[in-house]
Amino acid sequence: MPRKLLLPYKSVFSHFRAPRGLHDSLAMNAARSGYRVFSANSTAACTELAKRITERLGAELGKSVVYQETNGETRVEIKESVRGQDIFIIQTIPRDVNTAVMELLIMAYALKTSCARNIIGVIPYFPYSKQSKMRKRGSIVCKLLASMLAKAGLTHIITMDLHQKEIQGFFSFPVDNLRASPFLLQYIQEEIPDYRNAVIVAKSPDAAKRAQSYAERLRLGLAVIHGEAQCTEQDMDDGRHSPPMVKNATVHPGLELPLMMAKEKPPITVVGDVGGRIAIIVDDIIDDVESFVAAAEILKERGAYKIFVMATHGLLSADAPRLIEESSIDEVVVTNTVPHEVQKLQCAKIKTVDISLILSEAIRRIHNGESMAYLFRNITVDD
């Protein structure tokens, strides 16, 4: 029986004519393949950072609609095809944190069910990052949020200056924790004329490592505020003290544990010389500003003639603008990880540093499969 001749793949379909419009469709799909950038919030204040990023990338913001129903439910509608693409969701966190979280979760799930290849969340300020430790009869809410994001469909996260770097361990997918310190250091060098006469200040011992990193990079002195006026997270009860001690508690016979002495803070002190110098207080978050205002008063009493506050995330909640305006603080410098245009209108001392450059470069490198090491050059764990 004669063997059949197997024609090459090309010759088999050499006489096949594609239906009209198929070539155009394939070309269109090829053009569309790649990545898209969406904003998970449709308000003008929250889309500003997303627009800055897309302008740097030379791309257009993805077409979507995010709004609240009359009953308070969040609805997300994706208005274009995302099949097989890398999708980056930019979500800045306004004052209504819980609504922002739901917007992000619903949009991620909508993109997942629309067959997006990868869904990367760009969350410059990660919400609930302060709730990353066990408290008395509490929970680690940050870990819960990490699990919810993974379940919704996120495959990667780009964030900036996590409150605790150990939060990266809560996630089951990659997390790129970028740093804002290069931009804040550049601001100090370019916008503070006499910065060589400055001293970097940590408003509590907890912030000493960050302040030391700034001081070493700028070749400046270091000062630390310590004493009874400070209240740190370590002073709060955690799960290891639960249940609380009760008077006349029953003790098991033969069980005699060493008695833990109660903490007593020393009088307020400033470790380091700030007299006749510019004091630059550095931290990662500035939210309730009472502690910063109190630190500024102490530094003023110790002889500092100008006081700056530098922070990555400017939440500036409640009466923060008014308190800053009435305080001894000369300038508060924050990045645009969180929208704060309203607060800037209320207080002229608030200045903004744009960090869209590093976020757009991170998006480009992740999509192209390039190394992220360039964005972390000369960055240490304490930055």
Side-chain angles (χ1 to χ4, degrees):
M1 182 176 181
R3 299 176 60 184
K4 292 183 179 180
L5 179 63
L6 296 178
L7 297 176
Y9 178 84
K10 186 175 181 181
S11 61
V12 170
F13 294 95
S14 59
H15 299 290
F16 174 78
R17 178 172 294 182
R20 184 178 180 182
L22 179 60
H23 291 297
D24 295 337
S25 177
L26 291 174
M28 185 180 298
N29 289 336
R32 286 181 177 178
S33 65
Y35 71 95
R36 299 292 290 164
V37 180
F38 286 85
S39 175
N41 194 306
S42 56
T43 60
C46 295
T47 55
E48 181 182 355
L49 179 61
K51 290 179 179 178
R52 287 176 179 266
I53 291 173
T54 51
E55 285 175 2
R56 291 184 180 276
L57 290 170
E60 294 183 359
L61 201 59
K63 298 175 183 178
S64 64
V65 177
V66 182
Y67 61 96
Q68 309 299 317
E69 297 276 11
T70 54
N71 60 359
E73 293 182 356
T74 300
R75 183 176 291 274
V76 175
E77 297 177 4
I78 309 299
K79 296 294 187 179
E80 59 182 289
S81 174
V82 296
R83 183 178 296 272
Q85 299 187 50
D86 292 336
I87 305 300
F88 295 85
I89 309 174
I90 300 174
Q91 177 65 311
T92 52
I93 307 299
R95 292 190 177 186
D96 191 353
V97 178
N98 295 329
T99 299
V101 170
M102 286 304 301
E103 290 170 345
L104 179 60
L105 291 171
I106 296 172
M107 177 167 278
Y109 190 69
L111 294 167
K112 176 184 177 182
T113 54
S114 298
C115 300
R117 183 173 61 177
N118 293 306
I119 305 172
I120 300 95
V122 183
I123 315 169
Y125 169 67
F126 195 80
Y128 288 98
S129 59
K130 286 187 176 182
Q131 299 189 47
S132 59
K133 295 181 180 180
M134 178 62 73
R135 303 301 180 198
K136 180 173 61 178
R137 297 190 183 91
S139 61
I140 307 177
V141 183
C142 192
K143 189 177 189 305
L144 171 63
L145 180 56
S147 301
M148 292 168 64
L149 292 173
K151 191 69 175 177
L154 288 182
T155 58
H156 198 140
I157 276 183
I158 303 171
T159 187
M160 181 165 284
D161 282 339
L162 287 170
H163 186 57
Q164 299 288 341
K165 296 176 179 62
E166 294 80 4
I167 292 175
Q168 296 179 73
F170 294 164
F171 294 88
S172 57
F173 49 76
V175 176
D176 286 311
N177 182 26
L178 304 177
R179 305 295 195 274
S181 52
F183 297 90
L184 296 176
L185 289 168
Q186 184 181 26
Y187 184 93
I188 293 173
Q189 293 173 316
E190 295 180 356
E191 302 298 331
I192 303 179
D194 197 19
Y195 84 93
R196 290 293 182 187
N197 189 36
V199 58
I200 305 298
V201 179
K203 70 178 181 66
S204 68
D206 294 338
K209 286 187 177 181
R210 182 184 298 271
Q212 180 183 357
S213 175
Y214 275 68
E216 291 175 352
R217 294 182 186 282
L218 294 170
R219 279 58 170 176
L220 299 177
L222 176 67
V224 180
I225 299 176
H226 177 56
E228 60 184 5
Q230 302 301 319
C231 178
T232 63
E233 291 185 3
Q234 280 72 15
D235 296 326
M236 300 173 64
D237 291 334
D238 60 18
R240 293 169 294 180
H241 302 304
S242 181
M245 293 182 64
V246 181
K247 293 182 179 180
N248 302 325
T250 303
V251 180
H252 191 276
L255 182 62
E256 295 182 2
L257 297 175
L259 180 63
M260 178 64 73
M261 296 181 63
K263 287 185 178 181
E264 184 176 347
K265 290 188 177 182
I268 192 71
T269 56
V270 178
V271 182
D273 182 22
V274 297
R277 296 191 178 188
I278 301 172
I280 303 176
I281 305 173
V282 297
D283 213 334
D284 62 330
I285 299 174
I286 176 169
D287 189 1
D288 296 326
V289 299
E290 284 85 355
S291 59
F292 291 92
V293 171
E297 295 294 337
I298 295 166
L299 294 170
K300 207 75 172 179
E301 293 174 2
R302 297 299 194 276
Y305 71 90
K306 216 167 189 181
I307 299 169
F308 290 80
V309 175
M310 316 285 292
T312 302
H313 310 296
L315 304 185
L316 303 170
S317 302
D319 293 332
R322 179 182 60 82
L323 294 174
I324 293 171
E325 191 68 35
E326 298 173 356
S327 70
S328 302
I329 299 173
D330 293 280
E331 197 168 282
V332 173
V333 183
V334 293
T335 69
N336 56 346
T337 56
V338 178
H340 51 263
E341 294 303 319
V342 175
Q343 291 88 330
K344 288 179 68 175
L345 294 175
Q346 298 172 355
C347 178
K349 294 181 179 180
I350 301 173
K351 308 297 180 183
T352 306
V353 175
D354 182 26
I355 44 83
S356 61
L357 174 63
I358 192 171
L359 293 176
S360 59
E361 180 63 15
I363 290 174
R364 189 191 67 81
R365 286 175 176 270
I366 289 174
H367 172 65
N368 293 334
E370 300 178 19
S371 172
M372 297 286 284
Y374 178 78
L375 304 182
F376 293 95
R377 53 181 183 164
N378 299 326
I379 297 293
T380 64
V381 175
D382 299 328
D383 286 327

